[in-house]
Amino acid sequence: MDAKLADVLDVQAVQATMDSFFSLTQIGIGIIDLQGKVLVSTGWQDICVDFHRRHPESCRHCTESDTALAAGVQPGEYKMYRCQNGMWDIVTPIFVEGTHLGNIFLGQFLYEDELPDYDSFRAAARQHGFDETEYIAALDRVPRWSRETVARTMDFYKNFANLILSLSAGKRNLERIVNARTQELTAANEELTALNDELEHRVHEIEEKNVLLARSNADLEQFAYVASHDLQEPLRQIVSFTQLLARRYSGKLDTDADDFIRYTVDGTKRMQELINDILAYSRLRKSREQFAPVDCEALFTEVLLSLQSAIEKRDAQIVHEKLPTLAGDRTQLAQLFRNLLSNAVKFQGNAAPCIRVTATKQQQHWLFAITDNGIGIAAEFFERIFVVFRRLHAAAEYPGTGIGLAICKRIVENHGGQIWLESEPGKGTTFFFTLKEMGG
């Protein structure tokens, strides 16, 4: 068959159909022939239209991705790849009478479970002369879809590719297949209507959840303000006066009064620690400080000095390998090491704490490990311990607010890493976390 896709495709009709599809679903499409010519497009993202396809080099990347990277996909299948400009594309082919003439693309999106590599996109902006702020803003507008949504959409596009094949054959011989095509188009419209109903229902659910999320975030911000301004000062007064009562009247009243005063002092101190930890956790959510080189070796030494009293009290031994210099927020990384080391010292078994800290260079990051010989953690609690206020022990047994590991998780995620653990009750625990290397 010696023909091009434009010869057998009713471009205007398909464009109109997909414009309607996009208005219903907000899911775009591209139909591109094997020479890289765009025949049908709707719902394309600003980052592609206003940037990638306007610069010669990045436009060449688009064309190469649409042709070379999309090659080899078979009828009824689809192929997923990351284009040379950093966006995800998925392609399914259009075959007419056994000849591959073009492709349908679902493109310019990111998965909702992945974090964009902002450093590489900023580098691309500088390389191609894009306005970096506008380019990153366009990146933030790129849709984030679940893998289930993408899979279901590509199933639809595979069916749509078959429909185009049928329509192309119909264009060559309308008299022969007009009735069959009418039935298929009716079925497609019914499928679109059903999909639209489902999407509208889901959009309504998402809108309701967004309202609740916005309300929750506003409540959290209001609480943080109240805690920092309205609760701290009266709490400090309570702590001061109860401590004064303890100093002046300890032993002068009956034993019950001494106990009551001690309980009040301990309770107000725990409340103060709890408020401080909640504030620390909420501030981490808002942190946008520019990362700078952090000498983890020097930082680790400072953290050990701050924990010296607890280390000496429990006769703990802490050894470590030489730690690297990384790009990050120094204050947050200090808090990360302090929380993990403090837990390793605190949750001790019968033997004195023995703690080892290592850092191993991997492909694009460093893998840190903090190993102790403490009481250990059962596997069913591995996820629970990273949730705010989820304690495994009573405060009287092991003091703390139950926020420390949640703070650690957020700090590591703020730095583009992951945190997890390996442990067995009675045999100690190893916390692992990754941090990107300099320039990674």
Side-chain angles (χ1 to χ4, degrees):
M1 178 179 179
D2 186 17
K4 293 184 178 180
L5 184 58
D7 298 331
V8 298
L9 183 69
D10 189 340
V11 173
Q12 291 184 344
V14 174
Q15 180 70 63
T17 299
M18 296 318 298
D19 285 343
S20 298
F21 180 76
F22 177 73
S23 69
L24 292 174
T25 65
Q26 296 301 300
I27 298 177
I29 190 175
I31 298 181
I32 304 175
D33 65 21
L34 298 184
Q35 291 72 44
K37 182 179 180 181
V38 179
L39 302 180
V40 174
S41 66
T42 184
W44 285 28
Q45 298 303 310
D46 296 343
I47 196 169
C48 184
V49 175
D50 296 337
F51 293 93
H52 293 158
R53 290 191 178 266
R54 290 183 178 272
H55 187 278
E57 184 176 356
S58 56
C59 185
R60 177 172 56 80
H61 289 166
C62 292
T63 302
E64 290 176 357
S65 298
D66 293 342
T67 54
L69 295 182
V73 63
Q74 298 301 310
E77 299 178 354
Y78 60 83
K79 177 180 180 182
M80 177 173 61
Y81 61 90
R82 192 184 290 274
C83 79
Q84 297 189 47
N85 289 316
M87 298 288 102
W88 279 109
D89 277 331
I90 305 182
V91 58
T92 190
I94 299 174
F95 279 77
V96 177
E97 298 180 5
T99 301
H100 186 193
L101 297 184
N103 299 297
I104 297 178
F105 289 85
L106 170 64
Q108 306 116 43
F109 73 94
L110 297 171
Y111 284 110
E112 64 182 10
D113 58 3
E114 67 180 1
L115 183 68
D117 187 353
Y118 283 96
D119 289 339
S120 66
F121 280 99
R122 290 190 178 95
R126 293 191 294 270
Q127 177 184 353
H128 301 315
F130 300 149
D131 182 288
E132 185 172 328
T133 300
E134 294 180 358
Y135 186 65
I136 295 302
L139 172 64
D140 289 336
R141 292 194 294 272
V142 171
R144 269 69 165 176
W145 290 330
S146 69
R147 297 180 186 273
E148 178 186 2
T149 297
V150 172
R152 294 182 64 183
T153 302
M154 289 312 301
D155 285 340
F156 174 78
Y157 280 172
K158 286 193 299 181
N159 294 333
F160 189 66
N162 293 331
L163 182 59
I164 290 177
L165 186 154
S166 300
L167 289 173
S168 300
K171 186 176 180 182
R172 291 173 172 270
N173 191 4
L174 285 176
E175 294 293 335
R176 179 173 57 86
I177 60 171
V178 64
N179 291 332
R181 296 297 76 78
T182 300
Q183 293 177 1
E184 289 187 12
L185 287 173
T186 300
N189 285 332
E190 291 176 353
E191 183 179 353
L192 287 174
T193 300
L195 180 59
N196 179 53
D197 291 341
E198 181 181 353
L199 287 175
E200 286 183 350
H201 176 69
R202 292 193 174 187
V203 167
H204 180 68
E205 289 182 340
I206 291 172
E207 288 175 347
E208 290 182 341
K209 290 180 180 178
N210 284 339
V211 170
L212 293 175
L213 179 61
R215 187 180 303 161
S216 176
N217 287 338
D219 290 344
L220 179 60
E221 291 177 3
Q222 180 63 23
F223 172 78
Y225 175 84
V226 171
S228 61
H229 292 86
D230 295 350
L231 294 181
Q232 294 281 43
E233 183 56 32
L235 188 59
R236 279 193 292 267
Q237 291 181 1
I238 294 172
V239 171
S240 297
F241 283 113
T242 51
Q243 289 176 337
L244 183 61
L245 280 172
R247 288 196 300 270
R248 288 191 179 181
Y249 297 103
S250 178
K252 297 180 180 180
L253 304 173
D254 59 28
T255 56
D256 285 344
D258 289 343
D259 288 339
F260 296 157
I261 292 174
R262 186 174 69 256
Y263 296 153
T264 303
V265 171
D266 292 343
T268 52
K269 285 182 178 179
R270 287 198 301 272
M271 177 63 75
Q272 205 165 37
E273 292 174 358
L274 182 62
I275 291 175
N276 288 333
D277 281 352
I278 292 174
L279 286 172
Y281 186 78
S282 65
R283 289 188 185 115
L284 285 176
R285 182 177 58 86
K286 296 181 178 180
S287 177
R288 293 292 185 271
E289 293 184 16
Q290 185 68 31
F291 284 178
V294 178
D295 183 349
C296 291
E297 183 71 20
L299 182 68
F300 190 82
T301 300
E302 294 177 13
V303 171
L304 289 182
L305 288 175
S306 70
L307 297 174
Q308 191 64 34
S309 176
I311 293 172
E312 292 177 352
K313 180 179 179 180
R314 292 173 173 79
D315 196 24
Q317 293 185 356
I318 301 178
V319 296
H320 74 286
E321 298 177 355
K322 183 172 177 59
L323 303 180
T325 295
L326 304 168
D329 182 311
R330 197 175 195 280
T331 302
Q332 290 189 18
L333 293 180
Q335 190 170 19
L336 171 64
F337 283 115
R338 187 179 299 111
N339 286 0
L340 292 176
L341 289 173
S342 176
N343 280 353
V345 172
K346 177 170 61 176
F347 293 99
Q348 65 184 98
N350 295 326
C354 183
I355 302 159
R356 180 176 178 81
V357 180
T358 63
T360 306
K361 176 69 171 63
Q362 300 193 333
Q363 289 184 344
Q364 297 295 325
H365 62 263
W366 285 85
L367 173 64
F368 288 78
I370 299 180
T371 302
D372 64 52
N373 63 337
I375 61 176
I377 302 170
E380 61 264 30
F381 300 121
F382 283 5
E383 295 297 327
R384 174 180 173 181
I385 62 174
F386 291 109
V387 179
V388 175
F389 300 134
R390 294 295 180 90
R391 296 177 52 88
L392 303 185
H393 308 279
E397 186 178 2
Y398 291 100
T401 61
I403 303 178
L405 287 176
I407 290 176
C408 291
K409 185 174 187 292
R410 177 157 290 183
I411 290 173
V412 172
E413 291 175 348
N414 282 354
H415 287 74
Q418 295 179 314
I419 185 169
W420 69 97
L421 71 149
E422 293 178 359
S423 184
E424 188 176 341
K427 296 186 178 180
T429 301
T430 298
F431 279 91
F432 299 94
F433 59 92
T434 59
L435 296 174
K436 290 185 177 179
E437 64 173 328
M438 288 286 291

